[in-house]
Amino acid sequence: MRNDRRVRRLVVDGTVWYWTVRQRVRPDYADCRLTISFVAQAPRRGARRRLSLVFAPGPDRIVSNSYFEAGTVVRLPDRTWLNLYEPGTARRLLDAAAPVLDIRPLEQNLEVDGWPHFAAVVDHLDATGSD
């Protein structure tokens, strides 16, 4: 059985990022969450910063709970989906969300809604026609 909770490594422009996907399952589906977190490798004397993109179910938004493959988030109007366990998806989400780190430079643990970044990623893929 593979370990879906493992920490993965991603190198972007010389910066090493560690990322992981966590799923919080609750009895009430509205309280479930799917979170992808990125932590930049700390400089020698610096503190690590964490960027967490949180996906919660909502109108026209689904997070995997049991029916879909683990790590899947779905936008219903167009049935577009991403699997957060895929390295390419993680990289595109990090690229889309990285400006948040510059906007809020003093916060160590940033937790933001992942859905706007989902939209940026899939809409960009649709516009470029690439995978």
Side-chain angles (χ1 to χ4, degrees), residues 76-87:
L76 281 182
D78 57 359
R79 296 183 179 154
T80 303
W81 61 274
L82 292 174
N83 187 317
L84 303 183
Y85 286 112
E86 295 177 2

Side-chain angles (χ1 to χ4, degrees), residues 34-79:
L34 196 55
T35 304
I36 184 168
S37 297
F38 300 94
V39 178
Q41 186 175 27
R44 290 193 184 271
R45 294 188 187 159
R48 288 184 178 211
R49 293 185 71 198
R50 176 185 308 273
L51 172 62
S52 298
L53 304 178
V54 180
F55 295 88
D60 298 327
R61 297 174 176 172
I62 296 175
V63 297
S64 62
N65 191 4
S66 60
Y67 182 73
F68 294 101
E69 181 179 16
T72 301
V73 290
V74 181
R75 182 173 65 186
L76 281 182
D78 57 359
R79 296 183 179 154

